[in-house]
Structures are given as structure tokens and as C-alpha cells.
Amino acid sequence: MLKNYFKVAWRNLVKNKGYSAINIVGLAAGMAVAILIGLWIWDEVTYDSYHANHKQLAQLMTTFIDNDGNKQTGPAVVMPTAEELRSKYGSDFKNVSMASWNFGHVLGVGDKKITGQGMWVESNFPSMFSLKMIKGKINALNDPSSVLISASIAKSLFGNEDAINKTIRFDNKYDFKVAGVFDDFPHNTTLYDAKLFLPWKKYITTEDWLKQAATQWNNHSWQCFVQVNDNADAAKLTAKIKHVVMAHKNAATDGVEEAVIHPMDKWRLYSEFKDGKAETGRIQFVWLFAVIGVFVLLLACINFMNLSTARSEKRAKEVGIRKTVGSVKSQLVSQFLSESVLVAFLSFVLAILLVVLLLPMFNKLADKNISLPWGNGIFWLLAVTFTLITGLISGSYPALYLSKFEPIKVLKGTFRVGKYASLPRKVLVVVQFTFSIALIIGTIIVYKQIQFAQNRPVNYDKAGLITIPMTTPDLYGHYDAIRSDLIATGAVENMAESSSPTTAVYSNQIGFNWQGKDPNTLPSFGTIGVTVDFGRTIGWQIKEGRDFSKDFATDSLAMILNEAAVKQINMKRDIVGQTIQLNDRNYIIVGVIKDMVMESPYQPVTPTVFTYDPNWANVISIKIKPGIGVKDALAKIERVFKKYNPSSPFDYTFNDEEYARKFADEQRVGRLATFFTILAIFISCLGLFGLASFVAEQRKKEIGVRKVLGASVFNLWQMLSKEFALLVGISCFIAIPLSWYYVSGWLQHYNYKTDISWWVFIVSCVGALLVTLITVSFQAVKAAIANPVKSLRTE
């Protein structure tokens, strides 16, 4: 019987090639989208599962609490934290490890120099994060002269030679022996960029201030990772250890902070904190794309339902005969479901082909490295189940609808589908276009928000500005000489050094005092040390007072504030010339600059102070002269740096490119939304094309009569198109309030956000209507210009 069902199903597919193609292609497109989104979601929810202990690993976060009770949470901790956890809460943790930030370093072997990112970590860190060692020992960092490197670094430095026990020159300062080589971390891990791990025992001896930091409870400059006991509850553990730092601080003078345990399984999806708790993050994108995937697949299923029920009269006699010869309703349902399952499996084969073709483009859009798990049995089991369910959902309504036909009426020729038979199809078309229009509106708003943030005044000149990290000691102490040589090339307008680049604020401090300050407040300010030419190099905009100058010897204790800092200080008189105390030193405020957007372009500017401090430098900023070719300028700049730093690669970043990366997440969401929107519209139009084709065929005789009686092509086009246009109009009225509700909720995540303009809804609806009319017009015009003699002769 089952064999017979599939044989009949195959014959129907072959007999009606056009409708079959529309069904298969539409369903395949929907399934391809669902598969791509499924792979993307799986990559997101399994982020960091590469680490064997990922369920027990966590990062210690710090929540700072101001006097108004506002909480701000970040990953920076004080150095003594790890030892305190080990000594007082040892029974709650299997492992605790301090770590530095993941920064770029210069690695050298003989004359070969490369740049690689790495971290200083305690000796138990590699085993906590289950590094997969290719050679060497995982616990090698007990030796302060050893280093663990990734396979890619070993390949770059040593080629095919064995790297073990070879010596690497680190930042032109220290020599380390390679004690182990580990597999590079996969793309979907937080530590993906980490290519080497260095011994903490060596790190804390490299500078005097690091030795002192081991007992200081105010310097939040490091990270701390923990491995909790099996089945430990992060919330309960947080409650237990949250005062670990405050036990050593005075809340009245040092501020209040709490420790928070942030599990590794939440790092990716729940990275945004509210009131000290991880509440949101990329999880909103996971839910967004999950909903899109379900609805796009539903659009494809709706196409199948619509075309199957629309062609019901064509199969009415078949149903009547089958019922007459003894077929019961359940058998007819089984037959029609078998047809839809066959279509689903044919669509699945085509969907897999589409996924293979689209995956490279999809990976580029999503910044992923996803591949089809060809050898994974679970994937194929899920795929078959998914295909079967899709087939059953697609065929459920047509099967129940067709199996209800009465054989007597059908065979007598008195069967009519009824006045309201097309109502379910109309409802389904409205559902299709409601979702498609909502997607169009959402995509436009995403791009509008990105454009709004990109157009936000940054209040400094990004053009021609490059940043060079000071990774080696060779660059320190030569500021005036390097600057003079650079300007002498004729390609450089100015140069300066600073403790933070223009695209970040590396340091935040509390402990500021000024006349009239509320003693119950402990405000935090971003703090950046700069050389005298910093402002002129980046082109910041002086609002009050003056810039730093070598003409004033007192500028060694001068300070420039941004507008946000002035607002936070809230001094009742002119702030220029006033004194601010920091670290027992009195600074004179000499100027106020306009707020520069140095961090997130979507958030308020951090209150920031700039001090004239040539000895506190991490980066060099260089302004290329306008009109000079970038390639020629970089060649001249590189020659100067090779003079002072001959053994290191010349690494630089363009400021405007670095700033553009701040929009990466939103741009990816926009590109993916556009991709899915196009596919959703394609699927909807494919179904619409099929329905229009069927309606034109069904009304062929009426069209012929109207044409003989004098109806024009435009009249006939209007007659066939207005029904579909009305359905799209109804979709617009439903989609507009729904999309407004959801996009306004999404925009609440941003402090600096665009408005929701009325034209977005108009453009989206008009666009959907035009696409609908273009899709329907092909069949409408084709039917309207057909020779009426042929359609009337059939009678």
C-alpha cells in the first residue's frame, strides 16, 4: 500500500511539473534557511564547549556600586584575589588562576620575527582550560623560563622542526624555552586568538609595580578564572564570596565592589550585566534567528498548503473514485501525507545542495567557520526527523481538506468547493506577507541604527590617523627623536604617545577630589596619560581653555577634561583653572575638550581626564599628511621605526578601520537579516506566483468572455491583481504595529539610538506591494493577452 502511495505521488509530481517545481523549490529554500540558522544557533550555544571543563569553569567579575546604588560589572579584578580565594574558600574551588589580558607580543627566533597574541597565566591555567597538547607537558609553566605555544606559532617560527626546548625571544626583552605545543583553539571559543601562554611567576617579577600589586586591593588590572566543584551553583557561590575584596577595603574611601561568578557557558550568550547579574547579550540574537528560521520554514509550508488546496477540484474525482471503491478517510489522509513527505524529502536533498553552495557566503556574513557535519550520525537523524515533520506539517491541512470530499457529489459533477473555500488560503497569504513585511521593517531599522551611530560626531579627526602598539622596550625613551625623524620624512604631520588609543579607554580610576565635591560620592573617571602633542595629532576640539604646551613648565601637573567629566564634577563656577586632586597630587585644569567617542558609539561617553604624562605610554598615534599616498607614507614611517626597533615587525592599525569594528555585531545582524528577508520574500513570491497561475487558469473562460466583450488588458490585469494587493494591504496593517513593538524593544538596548521614522513603514509596505504586483502581473498579463478563442473553444 505504501509503495502504491509513493508511486501515485510520483506520477502526480511528474504530471504537474510547474506546481511540483514551485513546491519543491519553495520548501527547499525554507528548509535551507532553517538548516543554516540551526547550524548558526548550534555554534552559538556550544561556544566554548571545546574545553572539557566548560561546565565548571567561570570568570570572576567585579561589580562596582556607586552611592546611588547603580551597579557596573566588568572582568577586571585585583591581583590578590586568587590567593584570597585559595586560602579562604579553597573547598569551593578546584582551581583558581590569575591571568593578564590577551595582548599582542613580538616573538623572535634568530632573524625571524612575528606577532602573536598571548597571556601571562598561572601554572594551573592550561589544565583548567584543557589545552590539547601535541608535544610537551601541560603543567610546564611551573618553570618561570618556559612557554607554551600554539601549533600555528610553532609552524610560523620553526617550520617543520620540533619546537620543544627551542628558545623564543619575547618582546626583545626575555628569552623563553618552548616547553609545550598545543592545538590552536577553534573559532567558536573565547580564547581563539590566544596563541601562547607565559608563566605568571616570571610576570610578577618583570616590573617593581607588579611586585607591589600582589598586595594591593585597588588596582583592577587583571583577570581571574576559577574552576568550581561539580554541580556547584554559581548564584550561591557568588553570594558566599561577593565580599572577598571588601574585607580588605574601606567602603567610605575606596568605594564598594562585589565579586561575581560568571560561568563559562554564559560568557557568549549572557555578556551584558544589569544590577550585577548577567541578563542578556547575544542570546537575543539566538532567539531572533530561531524565530526567523521557524517562520521562514512556515512560509514554505504555507506555499505547499495553498497550492495543494487551490488545486483541490483537480483531484476531487480521484478522491471520489477512491472512496467509492472502499478507501476510508484514514487511507486518503495517509496517501496525501505520503505525497507531502515525498516532496519534503526531495526538497531536503535540494536544501542540502543549497546549504553547501550558500555556506561560504553565510560564514562570511556571520563571521563563522561553520561546516556541515557530514560524519555526524546525530545530525542526519535530526535532519531526517526534521524533514519528516516538515512534510507532515505541510501536508496536514491539504490531506484533511481533500479527504473530506463527498464521493456522490463529486461523481455527479455537482461538487463545488464552496464560497469560503479560498478563505484559509487568503489567511495563509496574509500570514506570509505579514512576516515578510515585518522582516523588511526590522532590517531597515537595524541599518538605520548603524547609520545613526556611524554619523555620531566623534569630535576628533580619524582620517589618516594610525596607531602603533609599543610592544618592545626599544621604542621607549626615544619620543623626541622618533617624532623628529617622522616629521622629517615629509609624510607625517604629527606624532604623539598615550596610555590608550583613541578607540579605547584602558584605565579607570576613583579617588578624585575637588573643592565642593560631595564626600559621599566616589565617581570613576577614565584616565589617560598623553604627551604634549596628543591633542594636535588626533585633532581633538578644545571647547574651553587651552591644550597642553611645552611653553608651560607647570603642565606636568596639568589636566584636560572632556565634557562628560565636567558634567560629572558639576562645579558651579568656571572649571578651567580649578584644582583636582588625584593620588595625593594637585592637578590644574587647563582645558575642556568636546566628548570624543572612544568606546561604544551606542553608549554615553565615559567621563575622562587627560594628564600630561610622557612616561605612561602604551601606543603611538601618527597623523599622515593630507594628500600623501598611504602606501608611500607607510613605507617612510616603517623605515623610521626599523631604525629604532629593527628586530620587530612593523604593526599598525588605521584608526578609522578600528573604529568601524565597533559596529561589527550590528552589521552582521543587519546582513543576516537582509539575507533571510530576501529568502522570505522569494518564498512568499514563489507561492504567490503559483497561486496567481492557478487563479488565471481557473478563470480562463471568464477572462475569454470578458475579452470578447471588450475588456482591455489593463482591466483584466486589475481584476486578477486586486485580490492579492488587498491581502498584502491587510498584511501591512498587521505587520506595522507588530514590528514597531519589537524594534522599539530592540532599540532600548542602546542609549544612543535612532528614532523609528514613519517612512520606514511606508517604504516597506509599498515595496511589498510592488513585489506582489510584479509577481502576479506575469501571470495576469499572460492570461489577459491570450487568444480568447482557445479558452472558449474548450466548451
Side-chain angles (χ1 to χ4, degrees), residues 481-511:
I482 294 174
R483 183 172 178 275
S484 296
D485 286 353
L486 285 172
I487 292 175
T489 63
V492 172
E493 189 173 275
N494 217 329
M495 170 206 145
E497 293 177 355
S498 60
S499 61
S500 295
T502 54
T503 52
V505 178
Y506 286 163
S507 176
N508 287 274
Q509 292 189 45
I510 57 175

Side-chain angles (χ1 to χ4, degrees), residues 1 18 23 92 114 118 145 169 321 582 588 646 660 728 778 791-792:
M1 182 66 74
N23 270 334
D92 295 299
I114 65 169
S145 65
R169 184 72 173 170
I321 292 171
L582 173 65
I588 302 296
V728 173
F778 177 80
S791 59
L792 297 176

Side-chain angles (χ1 to χ4, degrees), residues 728-764:
V728 173
I730 295 170
S731 299
C732 289
F733 280 106
I734 299 172
I736 287 173
L738 280 175
S739 55
W740 179 87
Y741 175 79
Y742 284 107
V743 296
S744 60
W746 176 73
L747 286 173
Q748 293 308 310
H749 290 91
Y750 304 100
N751 292 93
Y752 192 81
K753 55 183 180 286
T754 186
D755 59 341
I756 304 176
S757 306
W758 60 268
W759 63 261
V760 173
F761 303 103
I762 301 297
V763 167
S764 301

Side-chain angles (χ1 to χ4, degrees), residues 270-343:
Y270 297 90
S271 58
E272 296 179 18
F273 285 76
K274 184 178 181 180
D275 293 330
K277 295 180 180 179
E279 291 191 355
T280 186
R282 291 183 65 85
I283 188 65
Q284 62 179 324
F285 298 145
V286 170
W287 283 113
L288 171 66
F289 289 128
V291 170
I292 289 175
V294 170
F295 271 94
V296 170
L297 183 61
L298 184 60
L299 296 186
C301 293
I302 287 172
N303 280 353
F304 186 94
M305 296 177 187
N306 273 344
L307 289 177
S308 297
T309 54
R311 299 187 68 253
S312 58
E313 285 188 67
K314 297 285 185 180
R315 304 197 66 178
K317 287 185 178 180
E318 178 190 343
V319 173
I321 292 171
R322 285 184 177 274
K323 281 193 171 183
T324 302
V325 297
S327 290
V328 295
K329 184 177 179 180
S330 60
Q331 290 175 319
L332 290 169
V333 169
S334 298
Q335 178 199 338
F336 293 125
L337 285 178
S338 66
E339 289 186 20
S340 63
V341 168
L342 176 62
V343 171

